[in-house]
Amino acid sequence: WLEEPPANVWTAIGTSDNPFYGTFDGNGYDIENLSIDSTSQYTGLFGYIHDATIKNVNLINANVTSTAEYTGALVGWAQNYCTIVNVYTSGSVVGNNHTGGLVGAVWATDAIISSCQVESTVTGNEYAGVQHAEYQVFHLPVARRTDRSVGESVCSGQCLVCGGSAVCGQCE
């Protein structure tokens, strides 16, 4: 490098124009101290997933910040038949609207989030939640609610700022 390398530069896996499809199996490995400081929508380790499975990975002490919408430690936006299983996240997630400790927003038919644990501090303006913002509080059309499953996942942690709705009772 002729100059100092950029700090906290992370290009999320998957965008709205080129989503991540397929399966990511972390094989139980830890990703420690992931640091993201973004001004983009769809911020997280994965920015935008579609018909995807993410499983068996631990994000330890993640620090994810975005000034835009759809921010999560693991996934910013999940769409259509997504499965997230056996994932652990801890750390801090700060976003604008649709901010979650695991997933920012899930807009999916037959989405499954199961056996996940979230121990994060989450700060967002509207639709903020410790596990996932929009998905669990069901701010989606009624017809899409019944095809979703949140099974045996644990969310602890703290939701600090909410202008709208919250998950797990941390914000009123």
Side-chain angles (χ1 to χ4, degrees):
W1 294 95
L2 297 176
E3 55 188 66
E4 193 73 24
N8 297 333
V9 176
W10 171 255
T11 301
I13 302 166
T15 65
S16 59
D17 293 329
N18 188 20
F20 173 78
Y21 290 89
T23 299
F24 173 84
D25 186 345
N27 291 316
Y29 281 96
D30 297 342
I31 297 173
E32 295 184 15
N33 301 313
L34 174 67
S35 182
I36 301 171
D37 190 357
S38 176
T39 58
S40 300
Q41 282 188 325
Y42 314 117
T43 299
L45 178 64
F46 292 83
Y48 197 109
I49 65 172
H50 191 287
D51 298 327
T53 297
I54 300 173
K55 61 184 179 179
N56 304 322
V57 65
N58 304 305
L59 299 180
I60 311 296
N61 195 34
N63 182 5
V64 179
T65 301
S66 177
T67 57
E69 295 182 311
Y70 313 116
T71 303
L74 182 68
V75 177
W77 177 273
Q79 184 159 344
N80 289 356
Y81 305 103
C82 293
T83 300
I84 299 172
V85 179
N86 196 29
V87 174
Y88 170 84
T89 66
S90 68
S92 173
V93 181
V94 178
N96 192 355
N97 296 329
H98 309 283
T99 303
L102 186 65
V103 180
V106 177
W107 188 266
T109 303
D110 294 332
I112 297 170
I113 296 177
S114 182
S115 301
C116 295
Q117 184 172 353
V118 179
E119 296 178 8
S120 298
T121 299
V122 178
T123 304
N125 289 326
E126 190 170 359
Y127 307 128
V130 176
Q131 186 169 13
H132 32 74
E134 194 169 13
Y135 179 93
Q136 196 165 2
V137 293
F138 295 118
H139 289 289
L140 305 177
V142 174
R144 298 178 72 103
R145 290 185 193 174
T146 58
D147 294 335
R148 299 175 194 206
S149 168
V150 178
E152 299 188 28
S153 294
V154 176
C155 54
S156 59
Q158 192 173 32
C159 180
L160 298 177
V161 179
C162 293
S165 300
V167 184
C168 299
Q170 277 76 17
C171 293
E172 300 300 324

mmCIF file of all heavy atoms in Angstrom, residues 47-91:
data_model
loop_
_atom_site.group_PDB
_atom_site.id
_atom_site.type_symbol
_atom_site.label_atom_id
_atom_site.label_comp_id
_atom_site.label_asym_id
_atom_site.label_seq_id
_atom_site.Cartn_x
_atom_site.Cartn_y
_atom_site.Cartn_z
ATOM 1 N N GLY A 47 -25.488 -9.125 2.694
ATOM 2 C CA GLY A 47 -26.340 -7.963 2.494
ATOM 3 C C GLY A 47 -27.743 -8.340 2.083
ATOM 4 O O GLY A 47 -28.725 -7.873 2.653
ATOM 5 N N TYR A 48 -27.852 -9.224 1.084
ATOM 6 C CA TYR A 48 -29.157 -9.556 0.495
ATOM 7 C C TYR A 48 -29.113 -11.023 0.098
ATOM 8 O O TYR A 48 -28.266 -11.430 -0.690
ATOM 9 C CB TYR A 48 -29.371 -8.688 -0.739
ATOM 10 C CG TYR A 48 -30.783 -8.582 -1.249
ATOM 11 C CD1 TYR A 48 -31.500 -7.408 -1.121
ATOM 12 C CD2 TYR A 48 -31.394 -9.648 -1.898
ATOM 13 C CE1 TYR A 48 -32.789 -7.277 -1.623
ATOM 14 C CE2 TYR A 48 -32.684 -9.536 -2.397
ATOM 15 C CZ TYR A 48 -33.372 -8.350 -2.257
ATOM 16 O OH TYR A 48 -34.645 -8.240 -2.746
ATOM 17 N N ILE A 49 -30.019 -11.824 0.679
ATOM 18 C CA ILE A 49 -30.079 -13.241 0.317
ATOM 19 C C ILE A 49 -31.451 -13.555 -0.254
ATOM 20 O O ILE A 49 -32.448 -12.914 0.095
ATOM 21 C CB ILE A 49 -29.741 -14.177 1.497
ATOM 22 C CG1 ILE A 49 -30.782 -14.091 2.620
ATOM 23 C CG2 ILE A 49 -28.338 -13.874 2.038
ATOM 24 C CD1 ILE A 49 -30.606 -15.122 3.729
ATOM 25 N N HIS A 50 -31.490 -14.548 -1.136
ATOM 26 C CA HIS A 50 -32.731 -14.923 -1.821
ATOM 27 C C HIS A 50 -32.691 -16.433 -2.002
ATOM 28 O O HIS A 50 -31.731 -16.972 -2.551
ATOM 29 C CB HIS A 50 -32.766 -14.210 -3.177
ATOM 30 C CG HIS A 50 -34.072 -14.287 -3.883
ATOM 31 N ND1 HIS A 50 -34.537 -15.420 -4.485
ATOM 32 C CD2 HIS A 50 -35.011 -13.341 -4.086
ATOM 33 C CE1 HIS A 50 -35.702 -15.172 -5.050
ATOM 34 N NE2 HIS A 50 -36.019 -13.906 -4.822
ATOM 35 N N ASP A 51 -33.716 -17.147 -1.527
ATOM 36 C CA ASP A 51 -33.740 -18.607 -1.626
ATOM 37 C C ASP A 51 -32.429 -19.203 -1.116
ATOM 38 O O ASP A 51 -31.812 -20.038 -1.778
ATOM 39 C CB ASP A 51 -33.974 -19.059 -3.064
ATOM 40 C CG ASP A 51 -35.317 -18.605 -3.613
ATOM 41 O OD1 ASP A 51 -36.274 -18.525 -2.829
ATOM 42 O OD2 ASP A 51 -35.403 -18.332 -4.816
ATOM 43 N N ALA A 52 -32.000 -18.796 0.058
ATOM 44 C CA ALA A 52 -30.682 -19.185 0.567
ATOM 45 C C ALA A 52 -30.788 -19.845 1.929
ATOM 46 O O ALA A 52 -31.762 -19.665 2.663
ATOM 47 C CB ALA A 52 -29.782 -17.955 0.654
ATOM 48 N N THR A 53 -29.742 -20.585 2.280
ATOM 49 C CA THR A 53 -29.587 -21.173 3.603
ATOM 50 C C THR A 53 -28.260 -20.719 4.181
ATOM 51 O O THR A 53 -27.219 -20.804 3.520
ATOM 52 C CB THR A 53 -29.605 -22.716 3.530
ATOM 53 O OG1 THR A 53 -30.884 -23.136 3.035
ATOM 54 C CG2 THR A 53 -29.346 -23.342 4.889
ATOM 55 N N ILE A 54 -28.311 -20.243 5.416
ATOM 56 C CA ILE A 54 -27.099 -19.896 6.155
ATOM 57 C C ILE A 54 -27.163 -20.668 7.462
ATOM 58 O O ILE A 54 -28.174 -20.600 8.181
ATOM 59 C CB ILE A 54 -27.005 -18.382 6.418
ATOM 60 C CG1 ILE A 54 -26.987 -17.619 5.088
ATOM 61 C CG2 ILE A 54 -25.757 -18.065 7.241
ATOM 62 C CD1 ILE A 54 -27.055 -16.126 5.235
ATOM 63 N N LYS A 55 -26.100 -21.411 7.761
ATOM 64 C CA LYS A 55 -26.149 -22.260 8.952
ATOM 65 C C LYS A 55 -24.768 -22.453 9.569
ATOM 66 O O LYS A 55 -23.737 -22.269 8.915
ATOM 67 C CB LYS A 55 -26.753 -23.622 8.605
ATOM 68 C CG LYS A 55 -25.977 -24.412 7.558
ATOM 69 C CD LYS A 55 -26.710 -25.705 7.205
ATOM 70 C CE LYS A 55 -25.952 -26.491 6.151
ATOM 71 N NZ LYS A 55 -26.627 -27.753 5.826
ATOM 72 N N ASN A 56 -24.794 -22.797 10.848
ATOM 73 C CA ASN A 56 -23.607 -23.253 11.579
ATOM 74 C C ASN A 56 -22.463 -22.251 11.578
ATOM 75 O O ASN A 56 -21.313 -22.588 11.280
ATOM 76 C CB ASN A 56 -23.111 -24.593 11.011
ATOM 77 C CG ASN A 56 -24.183 -25.651 11.020
ATOM 78 O OD1 ASN A 56 -24.980 -25.727 11.948
ATOM 79 N ND2 ASN A 56 -24.226 -26.459 9.972
ATOM 80 N N VAL A 57 -22.757 -21.011 11.954
ATOM 81 C CA VAL A 57 -21.702 -19.995 12.029
ATOM 82 C C VAL A 57 -21.949 -19.115 13.255
ATOM 83 O O VAL A 57 -23.088 -18.905 13.668
ATOM 84 C CB VAL A 57 -21.626 -19.147 10.727
ATOM 85 C CG1 VAL A 57 -22.880 -18.321 10.508
ATOM 86 C CG2 VAL A 57 -20.369 -18.298 10.692
ATOM 87 N N ASN A 58 -20.877 -18.614 13.839
ATOM 88 C CA ASN A 58 -20.940 -17.762 15.022
ATOM 89 C C ASN A 58 -20.267 -16.429 14.710
ATOM 90 O O ASN A 58 -19.107 -16.397 14.296
ATOM 91 C CB ASN A 58 -20.218 -18.416 16.200
ATOM 92 C CG ASN A 58 -20.763 -19.786 16.506
ATOM 93 O OD1 ASN A 58 -21.952 -19.950 16.729
ATOM 94 N ND2 ASN A 58 -19.895 -20.786 16.496
ATOM 95 N N LEU A 59 -20.994 -15.342 14.901
ATOM 96 C CA LEU A 59 -20.429 -14.002 14.763
ATOM 97 C C LEU A 59 -20.193 -13.471 16.173
ATOM 98 O O LEU A 59 -21.139 -13.100 16.871
ATOM 99 C CB LEU A 59 -21.371 -13.077 14.006
ATOM 100 C CG LEU A 59 -21.731 -13.461 12.583
ATOM 101 C CD1 LEU A 59 -22.675 -12.435 11.971
ATOM 102 C CD2 LEU A 59 -20.480 -13.586 11.731
ATOM 103 N N ILE A 60 -18.939 -13.469 16.588
ATOM 104 C CA ILE A 60 -18.566 -13.096 17.945
ATOM 105 C C ILE A 60 -18.128 -11.641 17.960
ATOM 106 O O ILE A 60 -17.228 -11.245 17.212
ATOM 107 C CB ILE A 60 -17.414 -13.982 18.467
ATOM 108 C CG1 ILE A 60 -17.692 -15.468 18.239
ATOM 109 C CG2 ILE A 60 -17.085 -13.657 19.924
ATOM 110 C CD1 ILE A 60 -18.858 -16.022 18.982
ATOM 111 N N ASN A 61 -18.750 -10.845 18.807
ATOM 112 C CA ASN A 61 -18.403 -9.442 18.983
ATOM 113 C C ASN A 61 -18.447 -8.664 17.665
ATOM 114 O O ASN A 61 -17.540 -7.898 17.348
ATOM 115 C CB ASN A 61 -17.030 -9.295 19.659
ATOM 116 C CG ASN A 61 -16.825 -7.892 20.185
ATOM 117 O OD1 ASN A 61 -17.761 -7.235 20.619
ATOM 118 N ND2 ASN A 61 -15.583 -7.434 20.131
ATOM 119 N N ALA A 62 -19.504 -8.845 16.907
ATOM 120 C CA ALA A 62 -19.680 -8.097 15.656
ATOM 121 C C ALA A 62 -20.069 -6.657 15.978
ATOM 122 O O ALA A 62 -20.820 -6.395 16.911
ATOM 123 C CB ALA A 62 -20.759 -8.753 14.797
ATOM 124 N N ASN A 63 -19.556 -5.726 15.206
ATOM 125 C CA ASN A 63 -19.886 -4.313 15.341
ATOM 126 C C ASN A 63 -20.331 -3.836 13.965
ATOM 127 O O ASN A 63 -19.500 -3.556 13.101
ATOM 128 C CB ASN A 63 -18.674 -3.533 15.845
ATOM 129 C CG ASN A 63 -18.986 -2.062 16.042
ATOM 130 O OD1 ASN A 63 -20.121 -1.624 15.897
ATOM 131 N ND2 ASN A 63 -17.958 -1.306 16.358
ATOM 132 N N VAL A 64 -21.648 -3.776 13.757
ATOM 133 C CA VAL A 64 -22.206 -3.463 12.438
ATOM 134 C C VAL A 64 -22.989 -2.160 12.533
ATOM 135 O O VAL A 64 -23.910 -2.045 13.342
ATOM 136 C CB VAL A 64 -23.119 -4.604 11.947
ATOM 137 C CG1 VAL A 64 -23.726 -4.283 10.600
ATOM 138 C CG2 VAL A 64 -22.339 -5.923 11.885
ATOM 139 N N THR A 65 -22.614 -1.193 11.699
ATOM 140 C CA THR A 65 -23.251 0.115 11.710
ATOM 141 C C THR A 65 -23.578 0.534 10.288
ATOM 142 O O THR A 65 -22.740 0.412 9.389
ATOM 143 C CB THR A 65 -22.320 1.177 12.343
ATOM 144 O OG1 THR A 65 -22.009 0.771 13.674
ATOM 145 C CG2 THR A 65 -22.979 2.540 12.378
ATOM 146 N N SER A 66 -24.802 1.040 10.092
ATOM 147 C CA SER A 66 -25.188 1.597 8.800
ATOM 148 C C SER A 66 -26.118 2.782 9.027
ATOM 149 O O SER A 66 -26.939 2.758 9.946
ATOM 150 C CB SER A 66 -25.885 0.560 7.933
ATOM 151 O OG SER A 66 -26.303 1.152 6.712
ATOM 152 N N THR A 67 -25.997 3.784 8.176
ATOM 153 C CA THR A 67 -26.909 4.923 8.241
ATOM 154 C C THR A 67 -28.141 4.691 7.381
ATOM 155 O O THR A 67 -29.021 5.537 7.318
ATOM 156 C CB THR A 67 -26.196 6.209 7.777
ATOM 157 O OG1 THR A 67 -25.694 6.005 6.449
ATOM 158 C CG2 THR A 67 -25.041 6.559 8.708
ATOM 159 N N ALA A 68 -28.214 3.546 6.729
ATOM 160 C CA ALA A 68 -29.319 3.237 5.811
ATOM 161 C C ALA A 68 -30.225 2.162 6.408
ATOM 162 O O ALA A 68 -30.050 1.720 7.539
ATOM 163 C CB ALA A 68 -28.752 2.790 4.463
ATOM 164 N N GLU A 69 -31.180 1.705 5.623
ATOM 165 C CA GLU A 69 -32.134 0.687 6.057
ATOM 166 C C GLU A 69 -31.584 -0.723 5.875
ATOM 167 O O GLU A 69 -30.660 -0.938 5.109
ATOM 168 C CB GLU A 69 -33.416 0.789 5.232
ATOM 169 C CG GLU A 69 -34.172 2.069 5.435
ATOM 170 C CD GLU A 69 -35.450 2.087 4.633
ATOM 171 O OE1 GLU A 69 -35.409 1.784 3.430
ATOM 172 O OE2 GLU A 69 -36.480 2.395 5.227
ATOM 173 N N TYR A 70 -32.218 -1.676 6.563
ATOM 174 C CA TYR A 70 -31.975 -3.110 6.426
ATOM 175 C C TYR A 70 -30.567 -3.481 6.875
ATOM 176 O O TYR A 70 -29.688 -3.789 6.085
ATOM 177 C CB TYR A 70 -32.250 -3.593 5.003
ATOM 178 C CG TYR A 70 -33.563 -3.094 4.453
ATOM 179 C CD1 TYR A 70 -33.604 -2.250 3.358
ATOM 180 C CD2 TYR A 70 -34.754 -3.445 5.066
ATOM 181 C CE1 TYR A 70 -34.815 -1.774 2.872
ATOM 182 C CE2 TYR A 70 -35.963 -2.964 4.589
ATOM 183 C CZ TYR A 70 -35.985 -2.133 3.493
ATOM 184 O OH TYR A 70 -37.181 -1.652 3.017
ATOM 185 N N THR A 71 -30.385 -3.460 8.189
ATOM 186 C CA THR A 71 -29.086 -3.745 8.788
ATOM 187 C C THR A 71 -29.224 -4.876 9.787
ATOM 188 O O THR A 71 -30.081 -4.836 10.680
ATOM 189 C CB THR A 71 -28.547 -2.487 9.511
ATOM 190 O OG1 THR A 71 -28.486 -1.408 8.583
ATOM 191 C CG2 THR A 71 -27.165 -2.740 10.087
ATOM 192 N N GLY A 72 -28.393 -5.896 9.650
ATOM 193 C CA GLY A 72 -28.339 -6.996 10.601
ATOM 194 C C GLY A 72 -26.915 -7.496 10.716
ATOM 195 O O GLY A 72 -26.124 -7.338 9.787
ATOM 196 N N ALA A 73 -26.575 -8.104 11.821
ATOM 197 C CA ALA A 73 -25.216 -8.646 11.955
ATOM 198 C C ALA A 73 -24.964 -9.713 10.898
ATOM 199 O O ALA A 73 -23.942 -9.706 10.218
ATOM 200 C CB ALA A 73 -25.000 -9.215 13.351
ATOM 201 N N LEU A 74 -25.921 -10.619 10.720
ATOM 202 C CA LEU A 74 -25.753 -11.703 9.753
ATOM 203 C C LEU A 74 -26.262 -11.307 8.373
ATOM 204 O O LEU A 74 -25.551 -11.449 7.378
ATOM 205 C CB LEU A 74 -26.482 -12.962 10.227
ATOM 206 C CG LEU A 74 -26.333 -14.187 9.324
ATOM 207 C CD1 LEU A 74 -24.900 -14.703 9.354
ATOM 208 C CD2 LEU A 74 -27.312 -15.272 9.732
ATOM 209 N N VAL A 75 -27.499 -10.823 8.290
ATOM 210 C CA VAL A 75 -28.148 -10.540 7.003
ATOM 211 C C VAL A 75 -28.897 -9.216 7.090
ATOM 212 O O VAL A 75 -29.633 -8.979 8.053
ATOM 213 C CB VAL A 75 -29.151 -11.658 6.635
ATOM 214 C CG1 VAL A 75 -29.880 -11.334 5.339
ATOM 215 C CG2 VAL A 75 -28.458 -13.008 6.523
ATOM 216 N N GLY A 76 -28.758 -8.386 6.061
ATOM 217 C CA GLY A 76 -29.544 -7.164 5.978
ATOM 218 C C GLY A 76 -30.961 -7.436 5.519
ATOM 219 O O GLY A 76 -31.926 -6.975 6.115
ATOM 220 N N TRP A 77 -31.113 -8.210 4.442
ATOM 221 C CA TRP A 77 -32.438 -8.487 3.851
ATOM 222 C C TRP A 77 -32.475 -9.939 3.402
ATOM 223 O O TRP A 77 -31.596 -10.407 2.678
ATOM 224 C CB TRP A 77 -32.646 -7.578 2.649
ATOM 225 C CG TRP A 77 -33.928 -7.785 1.901
ATOM 226 C CD1 TRP A 77 -34.126 -8.681 0.891
ATOM 227 C CD2 TRP A 77 -35.166 -7.103 2.059
ATOM 228 N NE1 TRP A 77 -35.418 -8.588 0.414
ATOM 229 C CE2 TRP A 77 -36.081 -7.621 1.117
ATOM 230 C CE3 TRP A 77 -35.598 -6.091 2.910
ATOM 231 C CZ2 TRP A 77 -37.380 -7.168 1.010
ATOM 232 C CZ3 TRP A 77 -36.901 -5.640 2.797
ATOM 233 C CH2 TRP A 77 -37.775 -6.172 1.848
ATOM 234 N N ALA A 78 -33.510 -10.660 3.820
ATOM 235 C CA ALA A 78 -33.700 -12.057 3.412
ATOM 236 C C ALA A 78 -35.021 -12.167 2.671
ATOM 237 O O ALA A 78 -36.049 -11.689 3.162
ATOM 238 C CB ALA A 78 -33.703 -12.970 4.630
ATOM 239 N N GLN A 79 -34.998 -12.799 1.501
ATOM 240 C CA GLN A 79 -36.204 -12.888 0.678
ATOM 241 C C GLN A 79 -36.390 -14.308 0.147
ATOM 242 O O GLN A 79 -35.442 -14.947 -0.289
ATOM 243 C CB GLN A 79 -36.107 -11.901 -0.490
ATOM 244 C CG GLN A 79 -37.357 -11.875 -1.325
ATOM 245 C CD GLN A 79 -37.474 -10.599 -2.138
ATOM 246 O OE1 GLN A 79 -36.797 -9.630 -1.886
ATOM 247 N NE2 GLN A 79 -38.342 -10.617 -3.118
ATOM 248 N N ASN A 80 -37.639 -14.774 0.188
ATOM 249 C CA ASN A 80 -38.090 -16.028 -0.422
ATOM 250 C C ASN A 80 -37.359 -17.276 0.049
ATOM 251 O O ASN A 80 -36.207 -17.493 -0.275
ATOM 252 C CB ASN A 80 -38.031 -15.955 -1.944
ATOM 253 C CG ASN A 80 -39.096 -15.043 -2.496
ATOM 254 O OD1 ASN A 80 -39.923 -14.526 -1.751
ATOM 255 N ND2 ASN A 80 -39.070 -14.840 -3.785
ATOM 256 N N TYR A 81 -38.069 -18.112 0.782
ATOM 257 C CA TYR A 81 -37.610 -19.454 1.161
ATOM 258 C C TYR A 81 -36.226 -19.467 1.800
ATOM 259 O O TYR A 81 -35.410 -20.334 1.498
ATOM 260 C CB TYR A 81 -37.637 -20.394 -0.051
ATOM 261 C CG TYR A 81 -38.983 -20.448 -0.714
ATOM 262 C CD1 TYR A 81 -39.213 -19.762 -1.896
ATOM 263 C CD2 TYR A 81 -40.022 -21.166 -0.141
ATOM 264 C CE1 TYR A 81 -40.460 -19.797 -2.505
ATOM 265 C CE2 TYR A 81 -41.276 -21.200 -0.743
ATOM 266 C CZ TYR A 81 -41.487 -20.519 -1.920
ATOM 267 O OH TYR A 81 -42.710 -20.543 -2.518
ATOM 268 N N CYS A 82 -35.946 -18.535 2.665
ATOM 269 C CA CYS A 82 -34.645 -18.495 3.324
ATOM 270 C C CYS A 82 -34.674 -19.305 4.616
ATOM 271 O O CYS A 82 -35.681 -19.351 5.317
ATOM 272 C CB CYS A 82 -34.257 -17.057 3.633
ATOM 273 S SG CYS A 82 -33.951 -16.103 2.148
ATOM 274 N N THR A 83 -33.552 -19.935 4.910
ATOM 275 C CA THR A 83 -33.391 -20.698 6.142
ATOM 276 C C THR A 83 -32.136 -20.230 6.843
ATOM 277 O O THR A 83 -31.059 -20.176 6.228
ATOM 278 C CB THR A 83 -33.288 -22.206 5.835
ATOM 279 O OG1 THR A 83 -34.480 -22.626 5.165
ATOM 280 C CG2 THR A 83 -33.102 -23.013 7.109
ATOM 281 N N ILE A 84 -32.275 -19.894 8.111
ATOM 282 C CA ILE A 84 -31.130 -19.517 8.949
ATOM 283 C C ILE A 84 -31.197 -20.409 10.175
ATOM 284 O O ILE A 84 -32.170 -20.357 10.942
ATOM 285 C CB ILE A 84 -31.176 -18.028 9.318
ATOM 286 C CG1 ILE A 84 -31.112 -17.172 8.046
ATOM 287 C CG2 ILE A 84 -30.048 -17.682 10.277
ATOM 288 C CD1 ILE A 84 -31.331 -15.696 8.263
ATOM 289 N N VAL A 85 -30.194 -21.265 10.336
ATOM 290 C CA VAL A 85 -30.222 -22.287 11.376
ATOM 291 C C VAL A 85 -28.877 -22.346 12.083
ATOM 292 O O VAL A 85 -27.816 -22.306 11.443
ATOM 293 C CB VAL A 85 -30.541 -23.677 10.763
ATOM 294 C CG1 VAL A 85 -30.543 -24.750 11.828
ATOM 295 C CG2 VAL A 85 -31.875 -23.657 10.039
ATOM 296 N N ASN A 86 -28.941 -22.473 13.407
ATOM 297 C CA ASN A 86 -27.751 -22.692 14.222
ATOM 298 C C ASN A 86 -26.720 -21.574 14.030
ATOM 299 O O ASN A 86 -25.567 -21.817 13.686
ATOM 300 C CB ASN A 86 -27.139 -24.064 13.938
ATOM 301 C CG ASN A 86 -26.169 -24.475 15.023
ATOM 302 O OD1 ASN A 86 -26.306 -24.077 16.178
ATOM 303 N ND2 ASN A 86 -25.178 -25.262 14.646
ATOM 304 N N VAL A 87 -27.176 -20.340 14.254
ATOM 305 C CA VAL A 87 -26.315 -19.164 14.133
ATOM 306 C C VAL A 87 -26.314 -18.433 15.468
ATOM 307 O O VAL A 87 -27.355 -18.290 16.112
ATOM 308 C CB VAL A 87 -26.806 -18.227 13.014
ATOM 309 C CG1 VAL A 87 -26.002 -16.934 12.987
ATOM 310 C CG2 VAL A 87 -26.721 -18.928 11.662
ATOM 311 N N TYR A 88 -25.151 -17.966 15.870
ATOM 312 C CA TYR A 88 -24.993 -17.177 17.097
ATOM 313 C C TYR A 88 -24.415 -15.824 16.720
ATOM 314 O O TYR A 88 -23.481 -15.754 15.907
ATOM 315 C CB TYR A 88 -24.052 -17.897 18.068
ATOM 316 C CG TYR A 88 -23.663 -17.041 19.250
ATOM 317 C CD1 TYR A 88 -24.488 -16.963 20.369
ATOM 318 C CD2 TYR A 88 -22.483 -16.307 19.246
ATOM 319 C CE1 TYR A 88 -24.141 -16.172 21.456
ATOM 320 C CE2 TYR A 88 -22.136 -15.514 20.329
ATOM 321 C CZ TYR A 88 -22.968 -15.451 21.428
ATOM 322 O OH TYR A 88 -22.623 -14.666 22.502
ATOM 323 N N THR A 89 -24.979 -14.757 17.286
ATOM 324 C CA THR A 89 -24.388 -13.432 17.097
ATOM 325 C C THR A 89 -24.297 -12.719 18.434
ATOM 326 O O THR A 89 -25.164 -12.859 19.295
ATOM 327 C CB THR A 89 -25.197 -12.541 16.117
ATOM 328 O OG1 THR A 89 -26.467 -12.243 16.682
ATOM 329 C CG2 THR A 89 -25.357 -13.204 14.769
ATOM 330 N N SER A 90 -23.226 -11.948 18.587
ATOM 331 C CA SER A 90 -23.088 -11.063 19.745
ATOM 332 C C SER A 90 -22.408 -9.783 19.270
ATOM 333 O O SER A 90 -21.765 -9.756 18.225
ATOM 334 C CB SER A 90 -22.256 -11.727 20.851
ATOM 335 O OG SER A 90 -20.912 -11.884 20.445
ATOM 336 N N GLY A 91 -22.593 -8.729 20.032
ATOM 337 C CA GLY A 91 -21.960 -7.460 19.701
ATOM 338 C C GLY A 91 -22.970 -6.341 19.639
ATOM 339 O O GLY A 91 -23.883 -6.258 20.452
#
